[in-house]
Amino acid sequence: MKKLLLFVISLIVISCSGQEDKTVNNKTKKMDSNRKMEQLVFGGGCFWCVESCFNMLNGVESAVSGYAGGHKDHPTYEEVSTGETGHAEVVQINYDPTVISYEQLMEVFFFLHDPTQLNRQGNDVGTQYRSVIFYKDEAEKAKAQAAIKLSESSGKWNGKYVTELAPLEKFWTAESYHQGYYNQNPNQPYCSAVVGPKIQKFKKYFGEKGWLEAEAQ
């Protein structure tokens, strides 16, 4: 019984929903109103890692953590974490398509999470952690389908992709303390055990490809 209790505690410690810090950070990059920006919303597990990595990319003006795909207006983190609102933890990417393409963003997306895991990423279990791409129109849906097919055929992940495709009805911005969460809380158990190693792999791989901003190198 004691061993079982210790096991359960360890899962809580290294799961996304087991950590919460009220540190407020609204840091995003300054938007250039002279450029035509595009948006993309997707979910690939806990948004702390996804948001942090995308904010390092050249051409990404901001990556904002939030919720989408549910049936409740103005959902809170606590409500979404129950899995009962139907929302996924997502990130809204605001990007300059003349600097970074949709296809490049999809490559990063599939690098950062395992799209063969249904309603989970590692110890983060629940529909709120599902792999999902939200599209704004049929043209973007077709691009997402092509990206999934290309990534699946690459053999990077062993198994059939379960990434959901859904129309974007509403993006709800997450609470301010979730924005830039890893940068503010790198020593939190979940951040140091899960997010940090992912970010280092991301920086090494995409740094060598020349996709990162200078300060992220």
Side-chain angles (χ1 to χ4, degrees), residues 112-123:
L112 291 175
H113 81 293
D114 184 346
T116 70
Q117 292 192 342
L118 182 62
N119 297 329
R120 70 177 299 159
Q121 285 297 307
N123 288 328

Side-chain angles (χ1 to χ4, degrees), residues 51-76:
E51 174 258 312
S52 181
C53 289
F54 275 90
N55 267 320
M56 299 181 198
L57 292 170
N58 278 319
V60 171
E61 292 295 332
S62 65
V64 181
S65 293
Y67 316 111
H71 53 75
K72 183 184 185 300
D73 290 348
H74 306 287
T76 66

